[in-house]
Amino acid sequence: MSTQNAIPSIKQLSSDDEVKVRPLSPMMLAVRRFRKHRMASYGLVILVVLILFITFGGLLFSRGYCAPLKQNLTGEAWANCNDTSLKLLPPSSAHIFGTDIIGRDIFVRTIYGGQISLLIGVSAALFEVMLGALVGAVAAYYGGWVDSMLMRFTEAMLNIPSLFLLIIGARFFGGRMPTINIFGRELAGSVIIIILVIGATSWMVLARIVRANILSLRERDYVSAALALGASGPRIIFLHLLPNTIAPLIVSATLGVAGAIISEAYVSFLGLGVTGATATWGNMLDGAYRYLETAPWLWFFPGTMILLTVLGINFVGDGLRDALDPHSTRHV
């Protein structure tokens, strides 16, 4: 029997034998690329474990050591409960991460400090993305003197060291803000200052990326059609242009969280960051350098948390950058 007769034609195939290829949507392609990015998967696992730790870790902690001092402590008050007779105890079954120089349990402070550090990181990254996307989109869409003015301002901000601005802002404004109450938690006013200063000093690169994307997008036919239908400039920017630059915005927001956590750790380590009773991973390192050899647990545990968080976020950011690239054919 010849080969031609052995292979049935398309007409000879029944409906059950037909191979139906279902096209993948851009989102499904992005998810598939991300799942096959090994380091991004590891980073996601690290972040999930850390979030579970700072969310539910307090349920695993025995609060009995502080009971004789205060019977009805709730929330972050446990992180500040101290007993000077228990100061500088090494890790043990009673104090998993040991105690600090005034007898506070480092395990509890690591949990509540992680919540504040992630709050600062996420809030500062959102502020950075909103500001950078707005400046870049307005500059690209309107062009002319608007573009020139905004880009010169962006370049001027790029020439000023962001860490210098962060230290100056935290030094002069951090101690003047009153304590605030958010979701039943009392936070030092310096938390808001740190969030605003970090967000206001890290938006410039994103603004230039968004501007470059929108300069090409504004020439597309759907923008011309929207203009012909009488759509206003803000409507086109927010409903047509920015949604089509979502990939760099997501990647920038992800990596911005890691950058904000590190920046907060910088200034808190220098004693200029989050002040008062509010614990963060950064201000837990403040003063720990005096005990690098005698009490390494003071810096090891918060430092490790910062390291793992930043690594996990960077791995996830790299995976998102590859997964959301519309021209990428890797890992498909």
Side-chain angles (χ1 to χ4, degrees), residues 61 63 65-67 69-83 100 102-105 108-109 111-113 115-116 181 184-187 277-279:
F61 176 72
R63 298 174 174 179
Y65 83 100
C66 216
L69 301 178
K70 296 179 181 179
Q71 293 289 340
N72 298 316
L73 290 180
T74 57
E76 195 177 0
W78 282 104
N80 297 311
C81 179
N82 66 291
D83 184 352
D100 64 7
I102 60 173
R104 294 176 297 191
D105 191 274
V108 181
R109 289 182 64 80
I111 293 172
Y112 289 107
Q115 295 174 5
I116 304 302
N181 191 293
R185 296 277 301 275
E186 287 191 356
L187 304 178
T278 302

PDB file of all heavy atoms in Angstrom, residues 61 63 65-67 69-83 100 102-105 108-109 111-113 115-116 181 184-187 277-279:
ATOM      1  N   PHE A  61       3.292  32.169  68.438  1.00  0.00           N
ATOM      2  CA  PHE A  61       4.171  32.686  69.479  1.00  0.00           C
ATOM      3  C   PHE A  61       3.490  32.641  70.844  1.00  0.00           C
ATOM      4  O   PHE A  61       2.328  33.016  70.982  1.00  0.00           O
ATOM      5  CB  PHE A  61       4.576  34.130  69.150  1.00  0.00           C
ATOM      6  CG  PHE A  61       5.406  34.771  70.226  1.00  0.00           C
ATOM      7  CD1 PHE A  61       6.714  34.382  70.417  1.00  0.00           C
ATOM      8  CD2 PHE A  61       4.879  35.753  71.037  1.00  0.00           C
ATOM      9  CE1 PHE A  61       7.483  34.962  71.399  1.00  0.00           C
ATOM     10  CE2 PHE A  61       5.641  36.330  72.032  1.00  0.00           C
ATOM     11  CZ  PHE A  61       6.952  35.938  72.212  1.00  0.00           C
ATOM     12  N   ARG A  63       2.849  34.174  74.251  1.00  0.00           N
ATOM     13  CA  ARG A  63       2.946  35.500  74.826  1.00  0.00           C
ATOM     14  C   ARG A  63       3.030  35.453  76.365  1.00  0.00           C
ATOM     15  O   ARG A  63       2.903  36.462  77.028  1.00  0.00           O
ATOM     16  CB  ARG A  63       1.729  36.337  74.419  1.00  0.00           C
ATOM     17  CG  ARG A  63       1.636  36.540  72.918  1.00  0.00           C
ATOM     18  CD  ARG A  63       0.361  37.241  72.532  1.00  0.00           C
ATOM     19  NE  ARG A  63       0.330  37.563  71.112  1.00  0.00           N
ATOM     20  CZ  ARG A  63      -0.687  38.155  70.509  1.00  0.00           C
ATOM     21  NH1 ARG A  63      -1.773  38.471  71.185  1.00  0.00           N
ATOM     22  NH2 ARG A  63      -0.641  38.435  69.223  1.00  0.00           N
ATOM     23  N   TYR A  65       5.453  35.127  78.471  1.00  0.00           N
ATOM     24  CA  TYR A  65       6.546  35.756  79.193  1.00  0.00           C
ATOM     25  C   TYR A  65       6.203  37.194  79.576  1.00  0.00           C
ATOM     26  O   TYR A  65       6.788  37.758  80.494  1.00  0.00           O
ATOM     27  CB  TYR A  65       7.818  35.732  78.350  1.00  0.00           C
ATOM     28  CG  TYR A  65       7.937  36.842  77.343  1.00  0.00           C
ATOM     29  CD1 TYR A  65       8.718  37.959  77.603  1.00  0.00           C
ATOM     30  CD2 TYR A  65       7.262  36.775  76.131  1.00  0.00           C
ATOM     31  CE1 TYR A  65       8.826  38.981  76.682  1.00  0.00           C
ATOM     32  CE2 TYR A  65       7.366  37.789  75.216  1.00  0.00           C
ATOM     33  CZ  TYR A  65       8.155  38.886  75.492  1.00  0.00           C
ATOM     34  OH  TYR A  65       8.251  39.899  74.572  1.00  0.00           O
ATOM     35  N   CYS A  66       5.261  37.802  78.858  1.00  0.00           N
ATOM     36  CA  CYS A  66       4.918  39.191  79.127  1.00  0.00           C
ATOM     37  C   CYS A  66       3.657  39.306  79.981  1.00  0.00           C
ATOM     38  O   CYS A  66       3.292  40.406  80.369  1.00  0.00           O
ATOM     39  CB  CYS A  66       4.711  39.937  77.819  1.00  0.00           C
ATOM     40  SG  CYS A  66       5.292  41.645  77.866  1.00  0.00           S
ATOM     41  N   ALA A  67       3.005  38.206  80.246  1.00  0.00           N
ATOM     42  CA  ALA A  67       1.733  38.252  80.957  1.00  0.00           C
ATOM     43  C   ALA A  67       1.834  38.868  82.348  1.00  0.00           C
ATOM     44  O   ALA A  67       0.941  39.607  82.758  1.00  0.00           O
ATOM     45  CB  ALA A  67       1.134  36.846  81.036  1.00  0.00           C
ATOM     46  N   LEU A  69       3.496  41.265  83.269  1.00  0.00           N
ATOM     47  CA  LEU A  69       3.648  42.715  83.171  1.00  0.00           C
ATOM     48  C   LEU A  69       2.348  43.377  82.737  1.00  0.00           C
ATOM     49  O   LEU A  69       1.890  44.335  83.345  1.00  0.00           O
ATOM     50  CB  LEU A  69       4.764  43.056  82.188  1.00  0.00           C
ATOM     51  CG  LEU A  69       6.159  42.494  82.538  1.00  0.00           C
ATOM     52  CD1 LEU A  69       7.147  42.860  81.445  1.00  0.00           C
ATOM     53  CD2 LEU A  69       6.624  43.019  83.883  1.00  0.00           C
ATOM     54  N   LYS A  70       1.756  42.845  81.668  1.00  0.00           N
ATOM     55  CA  LYS A  70       0.537  43.443  81.130  1.00  0.00           C
ATOM     56  C   LYS A  70      -0.361  42.309  80.654  1.00  0.00           C
ATOM     57  O   LYS A  70       0.041  41.516  79.812  1.00  0.00           O
ATOM     58  CB  LYS A  70       0.860  44.394  79.970  1.00  0.00           C
ATOM     59  CG  LYS A  70       1.702  45.594  80.406  1.00  0.00           C
ATOM     60  CD  LYS A  70       2.018  46.493  79.218  1.00  0.00           C
ATOM     61  CE  LYS A  70       2.880  47.680  79.641  1.00  0.00           C
ATOM     62  NZ  LYS A  70       3.217  48.568  78.511  1.00  0.00           N
ATOM     63  N   GLN A  71      -1.553  42.259  81.172  1.00  0.00           N
ATOM     64  CA  GLN A  71      -2.403  41.113  80.913  1.00  0.00           C
ATOM     65  C   GLN A  71      -3.134  41.197  79.583  1.00  0.00           C
ATOM     66  O   GLN A  71      -3.436  40.179  78.985  1.00  0.00           O
ATOM     67  CB  GLN A  71      -3.441  40.994  82.046  1.00  0.00           C
ATOM     68  CG  GLN A  71      -2.828  40.648  83.394  1.00  0.00           C
ATOM     69  CD  GLN A  71      -2.331  39.225  83.449  1.00  0.00           C
ATOM     70  OE1 GLN A  71      -2.754  38.395  82.658  1.00  0.00           O
ATOM     71  NE2 GLN A  71      -1.424  38.935  84.370  1.00  0.00           N
ATOM     72  N   ASN A  72      -3.444  42.376  79.102  1.00  0.00           N
ATOM     73  CA  ASN A  72      -4.344  42.522  77.953  1.00  0.00           C
ATOM     74  C   ASN A  72      -3.664  43.176  76.760  1.00  0.00           C
ATOM     75  O   ASN A  72      -4.224  44.039  76.106  1.00  0.00           O
ATOM     76  CB  ASN A  72      -5.577  43.337  78.354  1.00  0.00           C
ATOM     77  CG  ASN A  72      -6.385  42.645  79.434  1.00  0.00           C
ATOM     78  OD1 ASN A  72      -6.609  41.441  79.356  1.00  0.00           O
ATOM     79  ND2 ASN A  72      -6.799  43.399  80.434  1.00  0.00           N
ATOM     80  N   LEU A  73      -2.446  42.793  76.485  1.00  0.00           N
ATOM     81  CA  LEU A  73      -1.746  43.364  75.342  1.00  0.00           C
ATOM     82  C   LEU A  73      -2.300  42.780  74.054  1.00  0.00           C
ATOM     83  O   LEU A  73      -2.554  41.587  73.940  1.00  0.00           O
ATOM     84  CB  LEU A  73      -0.254  43.054  75.428  1.00  0.00           C
ATOM     85  CG  LEU A  73       0.523  43.783  76.532  1.00  0.00           C
ATOM     86  CD1 LEU A  73       1.977  43.384  76.484  1.00  0.00           C
ATOM     87  CD2 LEU A  73       0.387  45.281  76.394  1.00  0.00           C
ATOM     88  N   THR A  74      -2.490  43.640  73.072  1.00  0.00           N
ATOM     89  CA  THR A  74      -2.958  43.199  71.761  1.00  0.00           C
ATOM     90  C   THR A  74      -2.149  43.895  70.695  1.00  0.00           C
ATOM     91  O   THR A  74      -1.556  44.951  70.914  1.00  0.00           O
ATOM     92  CB  THR A  74      -4.444  43.532  71.544  1.00  0.00           C
ATOM     93  OG1 THR A  74      -4.630  44.939  71.716  1.00  0.00           O
ATOM     94  CG2 THR A  74      -5.308  42.790  72.560  1.00  0.00           C
ATOM     95  N   GLY A  75      -2.114  43.288  69.499  1.00  0.00           N
ATOM     96  CA  GLY A  75      -1.492  43.924  68.347  1.00  0.00           C
ATOM     97  C   GLY A  75      -0.021  44.217  68.561  1.00  0.00           C
ATOM     98  O   GLY A  75       0.725  43.442  69.149  1.00  0.00           O
ATOM     99  N   GLU A  76       0.404  45.399  68.083  1.00  0.00           N
ATOM    100  CA  GLU A  76       1.819  45.734  68.086  1.00  0.00           C
ATOM    101  C   GLU A  76       2.363  45.989  69.484  1.00  0.00           C
ATOM    102  O   GLU A  76       3.573  46.042  69.691  1.00  0.00           O
ATOM    103  CB  GLU A  76       2.053  46.968  67.210  1.00  0.00           C
ATOM    104  CG  GLU A  76       3.508  47.184  66.857  1.00  0.00           C
ATOM    105  CD  GLU A  76       3.682  48.364  65.928  1.00  0.00           C
ATOM    106  OE1 GLU A  76       2.681  48.995  65.571  1.00  0.00           O
ATOM    107  OE2 GLU A  76       4.834  48.636  65.571  1.00  0.00           O
ATOM    108  N   ALA A  77       1.480  46.145  70.481  1.00  0.00           N
ATOM    109  CA  ALA A  77       1.967  46.344  71.847  1.00  0.00           C
ATOM    110  C   ALA A  77       2.840  45.184  72.293  1.00  0.00           C
ATOM    111  O   ALA A  77       3.756  45.356  73.094  1.00  0.00           O
ATOM    112  CB  ALA A  77       0.791  46.529  72.799  1.00  0.00           C
ATOM    113  N   TRP A  78       2.572  43.979  71.751  1.00  0.00           N
ATOM    114  CA  TRP A  78       3.416  42.840  72.097  1.00  0.00           C
ATOM    115  C   TRP A  78       4.832  43.033  71.582  1.00  0.00           C
ATOM    116  O   TRP A  78       5.785  42.547  72.194  1.00  0.00           O
ATOM    117  CB  TRP A  78       2.822  41.559  71.525  1.00  0.00           C
ATOM    118  CG  TRP A  78       1.672  41.053  72.330  1.00  0.00           C
ATOM    119  CD1 TRP A  78       0.351  41.152  72.021  1.00  0.00           C
ATOM    120  CD2 TRP A  78       1.734  40.398  73.580  1.00  0.00           C
ATOM    121  NE1 TRP A  78      -0.417  40.598  73.010  1.00  0.00           N
ATOM    122  CE2 TRP A  78       0.408  40.119  73.988  1.00  0.00           C
ATOM    123  CE3 TRP A  78       2.784  40.023  74.419  1.00  0.00           C
ATOM    124  CZ2 TRP A  78       0.105  39.474  75.176  1.00  0.00           C
ATOM    125  CZ3 TRP A  78       2.478  39.372  75.604  1.00  0.00           C
ATOM    126  CH2 TRP A  78       1.154  39.110  75.964  1.00  0.00           C
ATOM    127  N   ALA A  79       4.984  43.721  70.458  1.00  0.00           N
ATOM    128  CA  ALA A  79       6.319  43.928  69.912  1.00  0.00           C
ATOM    129  C   ALA A  79       7.141  44.874  70.770  1.00  0.00           C
ATOM    130  O   ALA A  79       8.367  44.878  70.689  1.00  0.00           O
ATOM    131  CB  ALA A  79       6.218  44.475  68.481  1.00  0.00           C
ATOM    132  N   ASN A  80       6.490  45.693  71.590  1.00  0.00           N
ATOM    133  CA  ASN A  80       7.195  46.655  72.422  1.00  0.00           C
ATOM    134  C   ASN A  80       7.189  46.268  73.891  1.00  0.00           C
ATOM    135  O   ASN A  80       7.650  47.038  74.741  1.00  0.00           O
ATOM    136  CB  ASN A  80       6.561  48.045  72.254  1.00  0.00           C
ATOM    137  CG  ASN A  80       6.694  48.544  70.838  1.00  0.00           C
ATOM    138  OD1 ASN A  80       7.768  48.505  70.260  1.00  0.00           O
ATOM    139  ND2 ASN A  80       5.592  49.004  70.262  1.00  0.00           N
ATOM    140  N   CYS A  81       6.642  45.101  74.223  1.00  0.00           N
ATOM    141  CA  CYS A  81       6.623  44.643  75.607  1.00  0.00           C
ATOM    142  C   CYS A  81       8.038  44.211  75.988  1.00  0.00           C
ATOM    143  O   CYS A  81       8.632  43.352  75.334  1.00  0.00           O
ATOM    144  CB  CYS A  81       5.653  43.478  75.750  1.00  0.00           C
ATOM    145  SG  CYS A  81       5.579  42.829  77.422  1.00  0.00           S
ATOM    146  N   ASN A  82       8.583  44.812  77.016  1.00  0.00           N
ATOM    147  CA  ASN A  82       9.968  44.534  77.384  1.00  0.00           C
ATOM    148  C   ASN A  82      10.088  44.153  78.849  1.00  0.00           C
ATOM    149  O   ASN A  82       9.266  44.523  79.687  1.00  0.00           O
ATOM    150  CB  ASN A  82      10.849  45.752  77.093  1.00  0.00           C
ATOM    151  CG  ASN A  82      10.492  46.925  77.987  1.00  0.00           C
ATOM    152  OD1 ASN A  82       9.421  47.505  77.840  1.00  0.00           O
ATOM    153  ND2 ASN A  82      11.383  47.268  78.910  1.00  0.00           N
ATOM    154  N   ASP A  83      11.144  43.413  79.121  1.00  0.00           N
ATOM    155  CA  ASP A  83      11.500  43.027  80.482  1.00  0.00           C
ATOM    156  C   ASP A  83      13.023  43.051  80.537  1.00  0.00           C
ATOM    157  O   ASP A  83      13.693  42.197  79.944  1.00  0.00           O
ATOM    158  CB  ASP A  83      10.954  41.629  80.795  1.00  0.00           C
ATOM    159  CG  ASP A  83      11.221  41.216  82.245  1.00  0.00           C
ATOM    160  OD1 ASP A  83      11.952  41.941  82.940  1.00  0.00           O
ATOM    161  OD2 ASP A  83      10.701  40.166  82.656  1.00  0.00           O
ATOM    162  N   ASP A 100      16.268  41.569  72.583  1.00  0.00           N
ATOM    163  CA  ASP A 100      17.153  42.690  72.283  1.00  0.00           C
ATOM    164  C   ASP A 100      17.703  43.316  73.562  1.00  0.00           C
ATOM    165  O   ASP A 100      17.604  42.731  74.649  1.00  0.00           O
ATOM    166  CB  ASP A 100      16.440  43.713  71.403  1.00  0.00           C
ATOM    167  CG  ASP A 100      15.247  44.346  72.112  1.00  0.00           C
ATOM    168  OD1 ASP A 100      15.052  44.088  73.314  1.00  0.00           O
ATOM    169  OD2 ASP A 100      14.508  45.098  71.457  1.00  0.00           O
ATOM    170  N   ILE A 102      16.767  45.648  75.479  1.00  0.00           N
ATOM    171  CA  ILE A 102      15.868  46.011  76.581  1.00  0.00           C
ATOM    172  C   ILE A 102      14.856  44.898  76.850  1.00  0.00           C
ATOM    173  O   ILE A 102      13.838  45.120  77.496  1.00  0.00           O
ATOM    174  CB  ILE A 102      15.137  47.349  76.314  1.00  0.00           C
ATOM    175  CG1 ILE A 102      14.292  47.260  75.037  1.00  0.00           C
ATOM    176  CG2 ILE A 102      16.108  48.504  76.255  1.00  0.00           C
ATOM    177  CD1 ILE A 102      13.429  48.497  74.816  1.00  0.00           C
ATOM    178  N   GLY A 103      15.131  43.719  76.360  1.00  0.00           N
ATOM    179  CA  GLY A 103      14.306  42.565  76.688  1.00  0.00           C
ATOM    180  C   GLY A 103      13.085  42.358  75.831  1.00  0.00           C
ATOM    181  O   GLY A 103      12.174  41.626  76.229  1.00  0.00           O
ATOM    182  N   ARG A 104      13.025  42.964  74.652  1.00  0.00           N
ATOM    183  CA  ARG A 104      11.894  42.738  73.753  1.00  0.00           C
ATOM    184  C   ARG A 104      12.156  41.501  72.897  1.00  0.00           C
ATOM    185  O   ARG A 104      13.297  41.258  72.477  1.00  0.00           O
ATOM    186  CB  ARG A 104      11.655  43.961  72.863  1.00  0.00           C
ATOM    187  CG  ARG A 104      11.221  45.181  73.629  1.00  0.00           C
ATOM    188  CD  ARG A 104      11.087  46.397  72.735  1.00  0.00           C
ATOM    189  NE  ARG A 104      12.357  46.774  72.127  1.00  0.00           N
ATOM    190  CZ  ARG A 104      12.562  47.922  71.476  1.00  0.00           C
ATOM    191  NH1 ARG A 104      11.564  48.784  71.339  1.00  0.00           N
ATOM    192  NH2 ARG A 104      13.741  48.183  70.960  1.00  0.00           N
ATOM    193  N   ASP A 105      11.106  40.743  72.624  1.00  0.00           N
ATOM    194  CA  ASP A 105      11.245  39.513  71.859  1.00  0.00           C
ATOM    195  C   ASP A 105      11.421  39.833  70.382  1.00  0.00           C
ATOM    196  O   ASP A 105      10.574  40.487  69.764  1.00  0.00           O
ATOM    197  CB  ASP A 105      10.011  38.634  72.054  1.00  0.00           C
ATOM    198  CG  ASP A 105      10.231  37.243  71.504  1.00  0.00           C
ATOM    199  OD1 ASP A 105      10.009  37.050  70.296  1.00  0.00           O
ATOM    200  OD2 ASP A 105      10.622  36.357  72.279  1.00  0.00           O
ATOM    201  N   VAL A 108       8.670  38.448  67.769  1.00  0.00           N
ATOM    202  CA  VAL A 108       7.458  39.256  67.629  1.00  0.00           C
ATOM    203  C   VAL A 108       7.762  40.544  66.868  1.00  0.00           C
ATOM    204  O   VAL A 108       6.988  40.965  66.003  1.00  0.00           O
ATOM    205  CB  VAL A 108       6.866  39.570  69.021  1.00  0.00           C
ATOM    206  CG1 VAL A 108       5.593  40.391  68.885  1.00  0.00           C
ATOM    207  CG2 VAL A 108       6.569  38.285  69.768  1.00  0.00           C
ATOM    208  N   ARG A 109       8.880  41.180  67.181  1.00  0.00           N
ATOM    209  CA  ARG A 109       9.235  42.416  66.479  1.00  0.00           C
ATOM    210  C   ARG A 109       9.509  42.160  65.004  1.00  0.00           C
ATOM    211  O   ARG A 109       9.247  43.016  64.158  1.00  0.00           O
ATOM    212  CB  ARG A 109      10.442  43.077  67.147  1.00  0.00           C
ATOM    213  CG  ARG A 109      10.110  43.675  68.500  1.00  0.00           C
ATOM    214  CD  ARG A 109      11.294  44.362  69.128  1.00  0.00           C
ATOM    215  NE  ARG A 109      11.749  45.504  68.352  1.00  0.00           N
ATOM    216  CZ  ARG A 109      11.172  46.698  68.378  1.00  0.00           C
ATOM    217  NH1 ARG A 109      10.085  46.904  69.115  1.00  0.00           N
ATOM    218  NH2 ARG A 109      11.669  47.693  67.661  1.00  0.00           N
ATOM    219  N   ILE A 111       7.923  39.931  63.205  1.00  0.00           N
ATOM    220  CA  ILE A 111       6.605  39.779  62.588  1.00  0.00           C
ATOM    221  C   ILE A 111       5.971  41.137  62.321  1.00  0.00           C
ATOM    222  O   ILE A 111       5.591  41.461  61.191  1.00  0.00           O
ATOM    223  CB  ILE A 111       5.687  38.923  63.484  1.00  0.00           C
ATOM    224  CG1 ILE A 111       6.198  37.484  63.540  1.00  0.00           C
ATOM    225  CG2 ILE A 111       4.252  38.959  62.975  1.00  0.00           C
ATOM    226  CD1 ILE A 111       5.475  36.621  64.544  1.00  0.00           C
ATOM    227  N   TYR A 112       5.861  41.967  63.366  1.00  0.00           N
ATOM    228  CA  TYR A 112       5.194  43.252  63.203  1.00  0.00           C
ATOM    229  C   TYR A 112       6.063  44.232  62.413  1.00  0.00           C
ATOM    230  O   TYR A 112       5.537  45.073  61.687  1.00  0.00           O
ATOM    231  CB  TYR A 112       4.824  43.825  64.568  1.00  0.00           C
ATOM    232  CG  TYR A 112       3.711  43.060  65.227  1.00  0.00           C
ATOM    233  CD1 TYR A 112       3.951  42.222  66.305  1.00  0.00           C
ATOM    234  CD2 TYR A 112       2.412  43.151  64.751  1.00  0.00           C
ATOM    235  CE1 TYR A 112       2.927  41.497  66.891  1.00  0.00           C
ATOM    236  CE2 TYR A 112       1.384  42.434  65.331  1.00  0.00           C
ATOM    237  CZ  TYR A 112       1.651  41.611  66.402  1.00  0.00           C
ATOM    238  OH  TYR A 112       0.623  40.892  66.973  1.00  0.00           O
ATOM    239  N   GLY A 113       7.388  44.120  62.557  1.00  0.00           N
ATOM    240  CA  GLY A 113       8.266  44.949  61.737  1.00  0.00           C
ATOM    241  C   GLY A 113       8.148  44.620  60.260  1.00  0.00           C
ATOM    242  O   GLY A 113       8.213  45.500  59.404  1.00  0.00           O
ATOM    243  N   GLN A 115       5.424  43.595  58.779  1.00  0.00           N
ATOM    244  CA  GLN A 115       4.178  44.185  58.295  1.00  0.00           C
ATOM    245  C   GLN A 115       4.377  45.650  57.918  1.00  0.00           C
ATOM    246  O   GLN A 115       3.898  46.107  56.876  1.00  0.00           O
ATOM    247  CB  GLN A 115       3.100  44.052  59.365  1.00  0.00           C
ATOM    248  CG  GLN A 115       2.702  42.616  59.664  1.00  0.00           C
ATOM    249  CD  GLN A 115       1.730  42.501  60.822  1.00  0.00           C
ATOM    250  OE1 GLN A 115       1.271  43.523  61.357  1.00  0.00           O
ATOM    251  NE2 GLN A 115       1.414  41.286  61.239  1.00  0.00           N
ATOM    252  N   ILE A 116       5.101  46.399  58.760  1.00  0.00           N
ATOM    253  CA  ILE A 116       5.327  47.812  58.471  1.00  0.00           C
ATOM    254  C   ILE A 116       6.280  47.979  57.295  1.00  0.00           C
ATOM    255  O   ILE A 116       6.083  48.846  56.437  1.00  0.00           O
ATOM    256  CB  ILE A 116       5.869  48.533  59.715  1.00  0.00           C
ATOM    257  CG1 ILE A 116       4.919  48.350  60.892  1.00  0.00           C
ATOM    258  CG2 ILE A 116       6.062  50.016  59.439  1.00  0.00           C
ATOM    259  CD1 ILE A 116       3.512  48.839  60.627  1.00  0.00           C
ATOM    260  N   ASN A 181      -3.345  56.521  63.390  1.00  0.00           N
ATOM    261  CA  ASN A 181      -4.008  55.254  63.655  1.00  0.00           C
ATOM    262  C   ASN A 181      -4.589  54.718  62.354  1.00  0.00           C
ATOM    263  O   ASN A 181      -5.437  55.358  61.732  1.00  0.00           O
ATOM    264  CB  ASN A 181      -5.120  55.439  64.699  1.00  0.00           C
ATOM    265  CG  ASN A 181      -5.661  54.104  65.194  1.00  0.00           C
ATOM    266  OD1 ASN A 181      -6.278  53.365  64.443  1.00  0.00           O
ATOM    267  ND2 ASN A 181      -5.424  53.810  66.471  1.00  0.00           N
ATOM    268  N   GLY A 184      -6.706  50.328  63.356  1.00  0.00           N
ATOM    269  CA  GLY A 184      -6.507  49.976  64.747  1.00  0.00           C
ATOM    270  C   GLY A 184      -5.061  49.886  65.179  1.00  0.00           C
ATOM    271  O   GLY A 184      -4.789  49.527  66.327  1.00  0.00           O
ATOM    272  N   ARG A 185      -4.138  50.200  64.286  1.00  0.00           N
ATOM    273  CA  ARG A 185      -2.708  50.159  64.613  1.00  0.00           C
ATOM    274  C   ARG A 185      -2.183  51.574  64.735  1.00  0.00           C
ATOM    275  O   ARG A 185      -2.449  52.427  63.891  1.00  0.00           O
ATOM    276  CB  ARG A 185      -1.936  49.429  63.501  1.00  0.00           C
ATOM    277  CG  ARG A 185      -2.282  47.984  63.309  1.00  0.00           C
ATOM    278  CD  ARG A 185      -1.543  47.104  64.270  1.00  0.00           C
ATOM    279  NE  ARG A 185      -0.124  47.260  64.117  1.00  0.00           N
ATOM    280  CZ  ARG A 185       0.625  46.586  63.217  1.00  0.00           C
ATOM    281  NH1 ARG A 185       0.048  45.724  62.410  1.00  0.00           N
ATOM    282  NH2 ARG A 185       1.921  46.770  63.150  1.00  0.00           N
ATOM    283  N   GLU A 186      -1.420  51.839  65.790  1.00  0.00           N
ATOM    284  CA  GLU A 186      -0.794  53.134  65.961  1.00  0.00           C
ATOM    285  C   GLU A 186       0.567  53.113  65.291  1.00  0.00           C
ATOM    286  O   GLU A 186       1.416  52.280  65.609  1.00  0.00           O
ATOM    287  CB  GLU A 186      -0.636  53.474  67.449  1.00  0.00           C
ATOM    288  CG  GLU A 186      -1.940  53.838  68.134  1.00  0.00           C
ATOM    289  CD  GLU A 186      -1.725  54.422  69.513  1.00  0.00           C
ATOM    290  OE1 GLU A 186      -0.548  54.471  69.948  1.00  0.00           O
ATOM    291  OE2 GLU A 186      -2.713  54.805  70.149  1.00  0.00           O
ATOM    292  N   LEU A 187       0.749  54.033  64.320  1.00  0.00           N
ATOM    293  CA  LEU A 187       1.994  54.112  63.568  1.00  0.00           C
ATOM    294  C   LEU A 187       2.615  55.474  63.779  1.00  0.00           C
ATOM    295  O   LEU A 187       1.913  56.490  63.851  1.00  0.00           O
ATOM    296  CB  LEU A 187       1.749  53.876  62.081  1.00  0.00           C
ATOM    297  CG  LEU A 187       1.065  52.570  61.676  1.00  0.00           C
ATOM    298  CD1 LEU A 187       0.873  52.532  60.170  1.00  0.00           C
ATOM    299  CD2 LEU A 187       1.867  51.369  62.140  1.00  0.00           C
ATOM    300  N   ALA A 277       7.783  53.892  68.640  1.00  0.00           N
ATOM    301  CA  ALA A 277       7.614  52.486  68.996  1.00  0.00           C
ATOM    302  C   ALA A 277       7.328  51.594  67.804  1.00  0.00           C
ATOM    303  O   ALA A 277       7.281  50.377  67.947  1.00  0.00           O
ATOM    304  CB  ALA A 277       6.477  52.352  70.008  1.00  0.00           C
ATOM    305  N   THR A 278       7.129  52.163  66.625  1.00  0.00           N
ATOM    306  CA  THR A 278       6.816  51.364  65.438  1.00  0.00           C
ATOM    307  C   THR A 278       8.050  50.598  64.981  1.00  0.00           C
ATOM    308  O   THR A 278       9.083  51.190  64.676  1.00  0.00           O
ATOM    309  CB  THR A 278       6.320  52.267  64.299  1.00  0.00           C
ATOM    310  OG1 THR A 278       5.170  52.987  64.747  1.00  0.00           O
ATOM    311  CG2 THR A 278       5.947  51.440  63.086  1.00  0.00           C
ATOM    312  N   ALA A 279       7.942  49.282  64.949  1.00  0.00           N
ATOM    313  CA  ALA A 279       9.074  48.438  64.557  1.00  0.00           C
ATOM    314  C   ALA A 279       9.075  48.222  63.056  1.00  0.00           C
ATOM    315  O   ALA A 279       8.020  48.044  62.440  1.00  0.00           O
ATOM    316  CB  ALA A 279       8.996  47.093  65.277  1.00  0.00           C
TER     317      ALA A 279
END
